[in-house]
Amino acid sequence: MQISYFHSSECVPPVRSLAEGGPDAAVVIDVLRATTTIAWSLQNGAEAIEAFANLEELEAAAAAWPAQQRLRAGERGGQRVAGYDLGNSPLAVTPELVGGKRIFMSTTNGTRSLAAVKSVPLLLTACLPNRTAVARRLLEQECSRVWIVGSGWEGDYSLEDSLAAGAVASAAIEMAVAPHIGVSFGNDEMLAALALWQQWHLDTETCLRTASHGQRLINLGDHDADFACCAAVDSLQLVPFQAEPGVLKAS
């Protein structure tokens, strides 16, 4: 299995078929906080997450869904969009609120990365809480070319997404039958992400808080519980996957 890492949607090459050298699997990461929120929403009983790059498309799709079975989650600049049911916090998606409902979600960065690779045959989302579960799924599916896609911040590099990319790759190496032989790396960005994980794996929350987006959240208010949740390595076994274009479900 060859793993490559692209730190934002803007860095993702055009998706080609596997025969043309394209990926057979993609893993989208937005540690702070979209993919952490997606994983916890599904863990807590949401029927599905339907992701949108822009709010106009979200509104149209949500309007066609029964009102009692939907929630709108919108985040821009780290804050909840006015009038929406949810923002982008994994602590807000409680079983009582999200159970049985479809969440129509649009965030500043994460949902754009999902859109960039939605045509890849196997599309998963990862965060630090489910990094080993995701790596295990990739190995079980015998994926040959994997693209890990971070979300960054408005096109810029993101420290915390790269940390999680390294976390997924590290878990894959550890579980491969022949470490460093069964798993290889397709670009220097992936190697750098792995090195970042090796540097910070014992103190992930400090890494998240040190990152520029972590500082942005700190300046917006008290997000201590969000940081703790997003930094909790291997606290989930659930793997979100794309069941149909733009729609994520639990597996």
Side-chain angles (χ1 to χ4, degrees):
M1 180 167 67
Q2 182 191 75
I3 309 176
S4 301
Y5 175 54
F6 306 96
H7 71 253
S8 71
S9 59
E10 290 82 358
C11 298
V12 177
V15 176
R16 299 176 180 174
S17 69
L18 189 60
E20 297 173 310
D24 54 353
V27 178
V28 170
I29 293 173
D30 187 354
V31 172
L32 293 174
R33 292 163 286 171
T35 57
T36 309
T37 300
I38 287 168
W40 274 106
S41 296
L42 294 171
Q43 175 71 23
N44 288 336
E47 179 265 335
I49 312 295
E50 193 161 348
F52 300 87
N54 65 70
L55 295 174
E56 292 76 16
E57 292 178 0
L58 184 157
E59 291 287 352
W65 204 259
Q68 68 276 16
Q69 297 175 20
R70 73 179 185 226
L71 293 168
R72 295 177 306 153
E75 172 267 323
R76 291 294 183 270
Q79 297 181 303
R80 182 171 68 177
V81 174
Y84 275 51
D85 305 295
L86 294 163
N88 194 19
S89 170
L91 276 298
V93 291
T94 61
E96 297 78 13
L97 180 61
V98 306
K101 295 180 181 177
R102 176 164 295 208
I103 301 176
F104 295 82
M105 173 183 276
S106 180
T107 68
T108 305
N109 305 292
T111 50
R112 291 191 300 179
S113 291
L114 283 165
V117 288
K118 67 180 179 181
S119 63
V120 175
L122 176 65
L123 174 56
L124 311 175
T125 68
C127 51
L128 290 172
N130 73 347
R131 64 109 189 189
T132 295
V134 168
R136 183 179 296 111
R137 182 65 50 83
L138 295 171
L139 291 167
E140 289 172 348
Q141 295 295 314
E142 298 182 348
C143 299
S144 59
R145 293 193 191 97
V146 178
W147 287 2
I148 299 181
V149 181
S151 297
W153 178 261
E154 297 182 349
D156 290 336
Y157 176 87
S158 168
L159 187 71
E160 70 277 5
D161 291 348
S162 299
L163 177 75
V168 172
S170 178
I173 291 170
E174 292 162 9
M175 289 187 291
V177 174
H180 304 289
I181 297 174
V183 176
S184 63
F185 303 113
N187 59 7
D188 286 350
E189 289 86 344
M190 187 67 259
L191 284 167
L194 182 61
L196 184 68
W197 169 250
Q198 292 169 342
Q199 174 69 27
W200 287 97
H201 71 280
L202 296 179
D203 195 4
T204 54
E205 185 170 343
T206 296
C207 183
L208 268 55
R209 288 176 175 273
T210 302
S212 59
H213 189 41
Q215 291 295 304
R216 193 176 293 110
L217 289 177
I218 289 169
N219 290 333
L220 288 173
D222 180 5
H223 286 89
D224 286 351
D226 275 359
F227 278 116
C229 180
C230 293
V233 178
D234 291 334
S235 56
L236 285 174
Q237 294 301 312
L238 180 143
V239 178
F241 78 103
Q242 182 176 251
E244 56 187 272
V247 179
L248 299 163
K249 294 194 174 186
S251 66

